[in-house]
């Protein structure tokens, strides 16, 4: 019997986690490990992440521009995000590495009701640390720190970003072999290429 069929199974308050976010020191090395050792791939590989210069975010009340390299893959329906920060801007990723850690850093959730999700986890002691405003969209992406050192950070992603997640999944499923790194310069360039829109 799988957990979801158990009559007394708990119900996650934010629904199923749809992304596992890993912070790494070397994206090339990390993605090769997933492909060559674990047999997971292909990956969408974004050399300049969200762009250069990066869009402005707010970390612990401070305006920051976090420059990254990114890769996205899937294990079943769960998205993997591999993040290498390439500048010294304060961020949850930099803090994670400075604490001597590397690996799983956050759980990502594409939530149907952004306000309800925020209210629920904030009432349970989670603290917003990184806010990523999205131009033309009402709700930001938010990273929350756990009230205990036991838990990873949570990332709350507005519902309309499900289109972007689906586009990455569809593009990787269409891979026909060859190089398992499907390269685009930035996430925006990929979204433009596949024609993603953010209508509800």
């Amino acid at each position: 019997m799988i957990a979801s069929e158990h009559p007394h199974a708990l119900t996650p308050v934010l629904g199923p986690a749809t992304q596992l976010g890993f912070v790494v020191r070397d994206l090339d090395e990390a993605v090769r490990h997933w492909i060559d050792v674990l047999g997971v791939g292909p990956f969408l590989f974004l050399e300049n992440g969200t762009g250069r210069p990066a869009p402005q975010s707010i970390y612990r009340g401070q305006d920051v521009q976090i420059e990254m390299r990114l890769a996205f893959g899937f294990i079943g329906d769960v998205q993997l995000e591999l993040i290498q920060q390439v500048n010294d801007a304060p961020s949850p990723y930099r803090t994670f590495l400075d604490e001597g850690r590397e690996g799983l850093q956050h759980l990502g959730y594409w939530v149907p009701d952004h306000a309800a999700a925020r209210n629920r986890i904030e009432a349970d002691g989670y603290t917003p640390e990184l806010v990523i405003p999205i131009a033309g969209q009402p709700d930001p992406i938010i990273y929350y720190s756990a009230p205990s050192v036991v838990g990873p950070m949570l990332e709350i992603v507005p519902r309309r970003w499900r289109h972007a997640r689906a586009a990455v999944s569809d593009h990787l499923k269409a891979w026909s072999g060859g190089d398992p790194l499907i390269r685009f310069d930035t996430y925006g360039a990929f979204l433009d290429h596949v024609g993603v829109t953010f209508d509800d």
Side-chain angles (χ1 to χ4, degrees):
M1 176 181 294
I2 62 175
S4 61
E5 294 174 340
H6 194 287
H8 304 295
L10 299 178
T11 301
V13 298
L14 296 177
T18 44
Q19 183 190 81
L20 302 177
F22 294 81
V23 172
V24 302
R25 299 181 190 279
D26 185 326
L27 185 64
D28 300 277
E29 180 180 340
V31 79
R32 292 314 319 182
H33 179 86
W34 281 97
I35 292 169
D36 296 340
V37 178
L38 300 178
V40 175
F43 280 82
L44 179 68
F45 194 97
L46 308 170
E47 181 62 41
N48 288 305
T50 54
R52 303 282 189 273
Q56 187 167 288
S57 300
I58 303 166
Y59 178 57
R60 297 179 177 175
Q62 175 184 351
D63 290 341
V64 294
Q65 290 178 295
I66 306 166
E67 296 183 352
M68 300 175 288
R69 303 170 75 214
L70 297 170
F72 294 99
F74 281 83
I75 295 180
D77 291 331
V78 178
Q79 186 184 77
L80 305 174
E81 180 182 30
L82 309 181
I83 302 167
Q84 177 192 350
Q85 184 172 336
V86 297
N87 69 351
D88 292 328
S91 75
Y93 320 122
R94 179 63 56 202
T95 298
F96 187 76
L97 293 175
D98 288 348
E99 291 172 348
R101 297 187 286 172
E102 186 174 11
L104 181 64
Q105 185 262 351
H106 70 264
L107 305 179
Y109 296 85
W110 278 250
V111 293
D113 187 326
H114 195 267
R118 293 172 62 178
N119 290 339
R120 175 60 189 268
I121 63 174
E122 288 175 17
D124 287 334
Y126 280 82
T127 304
E129 286 211 358
L130 177 66
V131 178
I132 306 172
I134 309 298
Q137 297 187 34
D139 297 317
I141 295 169
I142 305 176
Y143 280 74
Y144 284 89
S145 60
S148 164
V149 296
V150 174
M153 295 191 83
L154 301 182
E155 180 188 21
I156 305 300
V157 184
R159 177 178 178 270
R160 60 180 57 197
W161 274 82
R162 72 193 188 282
H163 301 301
R165 182 182 185 279
V168 174
S169 177
D170 291 345
H171 203 73
L172 296 181
K173 287 176 182 176
W175 180 63
S176 58
D179 188 351
L181 299 183
I182 300 171
R183 298 176 183 270
F184 284 84
D185 184 51
T186 65
Y187 197 29
F190 167 74
L191 296 179
D192 287 343
H193 176 77
V194 296
V196 167
T197 62
F198 290 95
D199 299 333
D200 288 332

